[in-house]
Amino acid sequence: MKKITVEVCACTQCVLNGAMHIIESIESLKKLKVQLRMNAQIAIVPTPSLVEGKHSDISPVVRINGEIIEKASSETVMAKIISQGQRAN
């Protein structure tokens, strides 16, 4: 089974721009793995900061298996997780 590590920046700016909503969406996605035919373990890791310096213009920031997503939304993050999880089949 493939492991998908999703690191979500939990700095103040990212939280204000939706990081907690992204985490909640990923949690709900974990419950739908069977219906989505995903064969992957999803680990959510809130991280104090994923990029150096002030990053209000690119927040929220998410890293999925090493790939940074700037201005992330629940939809873009979930689509990326689903595509990686389905490729693991």
Side-chain angles (χ1 to χ4, degrees):
M1 180 179 289
K2 182 176 182 176
K3 182 174 182 180
I4 299 172
T5 303
V6 183
E7 298 170 271
V8 180
C9 183
C11 75
T12 303
Q13 193 64 47
C14 287
V15 169
L16 289 173
N17 285 317
M20 298 311 291
H21 183 68
I22 292 170
I23 291 172
E24 290 170 5
S25 297
I26 299 167
E27 286 292 346
S28 67
L29 180 66
K30 289 168 72 174
K31 297 175 186 172
L32 299 172
K33 285 182 0 179
V34 173
Q35 293 90 332
L36 295 170
R37 297 188 176 122
M38 291 180 61
N39 186 24
Q41 178 185 2
I42 303 168
I44 305 168
V45 183
T47 307
S49 184
L50 287 175
V51 293
E52 301 221 6
K54 188 173 180 179
H55 55 275
S56 59
D57 55 334
I58 62 169
S59 68
V61 180
V62 175
R63 181 168 41 211
I64 301 174
N65 285 348
E67 181 182 339
I68 295 279
I69 300 173
E70 297 175 349
K71 296 184 183 177
S73 68
S74 295
E75 293 80 14
T76 57
V77 170
M78 290 175 60
K80 188 70 158 176
I81 294 169
I82 291 168
S83 71
Q84 288 192 13
Q86 289 176 335
R87 278 189 276 151
N89 289 332

